Amino acid sequence: MNKLINAILIAALCGLSACHSKSAEEQKSAKPDTASEQPLAERKKKEQPEHVAQMTFVKYLDDGDYFQLLAKKGDSTFSFINETDTSRNLNRGDKIKVTWKDGTITLPGDNDAEMPAQLLVSVKKNGDGPVSAFRKTYGKKLKYTWSPDEEFTASYLDKVYLLTEYYLTQTRNPLLQNAIRNRGELTYSIESRERNNRGYKVIGIAPVGPNGGHVVQWLYVGEEDDHVYEYDLPQDKLVAFD
């Protein structure tokens, strides 16, 4: 009889143990795995360390698939995917502190292929460049005109304005330097020309005097590569401008 009772007790204990084990497994499988729910790309992004460097702002590029911010450090130019600096209040040459992470972007229309990219985390201005200083001291807007035969988008006109403004901060033309120093009115024209079988957009900059404006400097901008050249009238040649 004792043997029978012991056998029944052992069987009952085994059954309870099995039930407890099954219940624990069910609870484990029902508990959400927060790590697996998080997108893999996001986890990778968070795992990337941040990089920080002092740089010089070049320009915003907002006409592609991704907004970009370009900056220089020494002779090297860096391109950052820009989803952070929405104010767009930096001017060419401003000194900035850039924080970024390494990551990837997806190429549209290329089977969702990914490529490495530098993702902007933050940017902070810590010094005026020549354009910011020019705006403070000159304190006037440039005026411009173009031929009615030309069709320029608003974004292109903005691009030319910034280019011309930057050129005026660097010009060695004494007539332009004098106009800037005396805060005289400046204007420029935009037109299309060909030179040596190449297309250019040509900017003619003129101080405005009592008898109107007279162009004292021509700039040629390559239509294919956006390279900028000063026109040397006496030598009839184009001189590369930074």
Side-chain angles (χ1 to χ4, degrees), residues 207-220:
V208 179
N211 300 316
H214 175 68
V215 174
V216 297
Q217 183 66 64
W218 294 100
L219 300 179
Y220 280 66

Side-chain angles (χ1 to χ4, degrees), residues 151-171:
E151 294 184 1
F152 299 127
T153 64
S155 61
Y156 185 79
L157 292 174
D158 288 344
K159 177 180 176 180
V160 172
Y161 187 97
L162 294 176
L163 187 158
T164 306
E165 188 179 42
Y166 179 72
Y167 173 78
L168 290 171
T169 71
Q170 308 295 312
T171 184

